[in-house]
Amino acid sequence: MAWLALFAILSELFDSMLSANYGAVLPELFPEEPRRTLSNVLRQGFQLAAMVISLALTPVLTTSLLGSEEEGGFSRTAVLHAVIAVASIVVMALGAHEEPTRRQEKRPRLLPYLAQILRTPLLWKVALPSLCYGSAVAIVLSGVQVYVRHTLDPPVATAFLVQGVVLLTCAAALFAWVAAVRRLGALRTGCLAFWALTGSFAMLYLARDLPTALLAGAVPGIGWAGRLATNDLVVARVVDRDAAVHGLHREGLFLSATGALGRLSGAVSGLALASLGTFFGYHSGDSPGTDPGQAFRVYLCVYPFLLCALGALSAHLVSVPAPEQSAAGIRQAAHW
């Protein structure tokens, strides 16, 4: 347990460091929003492909191709995933380069500038919708197998069908959302995607068997795709605005701050799971209470619905100009 705890802590630590810097590269490498939109969708599409592979392929590798549950299948699969991950990260780190002129800029001091960023109201306006969205996704990913088992009552292995429908629908819908972003802008499109995601959980609540769950599961994939296509674009606009106002590029600090807030989604999903014991008597598979089906219908549908509704309402409060508008506004203010 001590070794596992150390591994988990170090994994989360270095994943946070990697994600903050990797996310900070997007607004820097693609300053024009049309190219930024397309590159973000491609990035999210490959991420979804990786999720499909990891969800569908890992059980096959662990139990069949690389061993069994009793004979080294998990260890060999872990080594294979580690090699692929390290190779991908090294290729990315060596292949993506920062703007050379940025290296000459004054380096922002960590604590004073981090305190300044945390006092920025716009950061919190953007962080609340992101937290609601991330918490809803975390609940769905953590609860879909138990939802299928207790609420729909087919074999647990069929949970991968529900996950696959959601992920494949999400991947297919990404490029449709690109057209919406180009027509309506990232902010308005993100709000529409939020409401689509909110309504989809109401549909999922009405599912009573696997076929209707598969049909309803396609709808969250559409809304999820819209959030994937727009969420990082809105954060990138905040970063552009900050650079235009202060003359410093602090993408890493902004992404670290929003990433730290995003990690709270794990706490939100944990509280939601713990509440099932209070409301439905569900404590574990050995102590499921009197109605575990309804418990996980609430967990997978009602809680995400409420979170997404709150996120959609708060997203309407966000107003960030496009990159070119930020630059033009600052130039005009300097002129006056």
Side-chain angles (χ1 to χ4, degrees):
M1 286 301 298
W3 179 263
L4 178 62
L6 178 63
F7 165 77
I9 291 170
L10 291 177
S11 293
E12 289 293 327
L13 170 66
F14 290 113
D15 178 62
S16 298
M17 294 173 63
L18 174 67
S19 298
N21 289 280
Y22 175 62
V25 169
L26 176 69
E28 181 177 333
L29 294 184
F30 303 96
E32 299 85 11
E33 191 155 273
R35 293 192 65 208
R36 182 183 290 174
T37 302
L38 181 59
S39 63
N40 178 57
V41 164
L42 291 172
R43 180 171 67 105
Q44 301 293 355
F46 281 111
Q47 175 179 305
L48 289 171
M51 292 179 68
V52 170
I53 292 171
S54 63
L55 289 171
L57 188 59
T58 295
V60 178
L61 292 174
T62 55
T63 59
S64 302
L65 297 181
L66 297 179
S68 66
E69 293 187 14
E70 293 78 20
E71 298 182 3
F74 286 97
S75 297
R76 295 184 187 121
T77 303
V79 171
L80 176 62
H81 283 338
V83 170
I84 294 173
V86 170
S88 302
I89 292 168
V90 169
V91 169
M92 179 202 74
L94 297 179
H97 301 281
E98 294 180 275
E99 187 69 29
T101 56
R102 303 276 176 90
R103 299 173 184 263
Q104 310 303 320
E105 290 183 358
K106 175 185 175 183
R107 297 287 180 179
R109 295 171 59 194
L110 177 60
L111 294 180
Y113 281 104
L114 183 58
Q116 185 184 66
I117 287 172
L118 291 176
R119 291 196 301 268
T120 304
L122 188 56
L123 172 70
W124 296 98
K125 289 182 180 180
V126 171
L128 179 57
S130 296
L131 175 60
C132 293
Y133 155 69
S135 299
V137 171
I139 287 174
V140 171
L141 293 179
S142 66
V144 64
Q145 292 191 24
V146 192
Y147 165 80
V148 169
R149 175 185 176 184
H150 288 299
T151 305
L152 304 180
D153 205 28
V156 176
T158 58
F160 291 112
L161 294 176
V162 179
Q163 291 172 322
V165 166
V166 173
L167 291 171
L168 291 174
T169 305
C170 182
L174 274 172
F175 290 95
W177 285 107
V178 172
V181 171
R182 290 178 174 174
R183 184 177 181 84
L184 302 175
L187 290 172
R188 290 178 63 189
T189 304
C191 291
L192 288 176
F194 237 139
W195 287 117
L197 192 58
T198 303
S200 69
F201 288 112
M203 294 182 60
L204 193 60
Y205 183 86
L206 300 175
R208 290 295 182 268
D209 51 32
L210 184 61
T212 55
L214 291 174
L215 181 62
V219 186
I222 296 173
W224 186 15
R227 291 304 303 169
L228 288 176
T230 57
N231 194 61
D232 288 351
L233 297 181
V234 175
V235 175
R237 281 192 179 191
V238 175
V239 170
D240 292 332
R241 181 67 176 174
D242 178 76
V245 171
H246 297 284
L248 288 172
H249 291 86
R250 306 185 292 185
E251 294 93 339
L253 287 176
F254 259 100
L255 269 294
S256 296
T258 56
L261 296 172
R263 296 285 173 173
L264 294 176
S265 62
V268 174
S269 61
L271 289 172
L273 187 60
S275 73
L276 299 184
T278 302
F279 297 132
F280 300 98
Y282 182 93
H283 298 285
S284 68
D286 296 327
S287 179
T290 58
D291 194 356
Q294 182 62 19
F296 278 94
R297 193 183 301 278
V298 169
Y299 179 75
L300 199 80
C301 304
V302 175
Y303 288 161
F305 174 86
L306 295 174
L307 285 166
C308 287
L310 175 61
L313 291 172
S314 60
H316 285 284
L317 302 177
V318 179
S319 178
V320 194
E324 59 274 10
Q325 294 172 326
S326 289
I330 295 300
R331 286 195 298 270
Q332 184 178 11
H335 171 74
W336 285 106

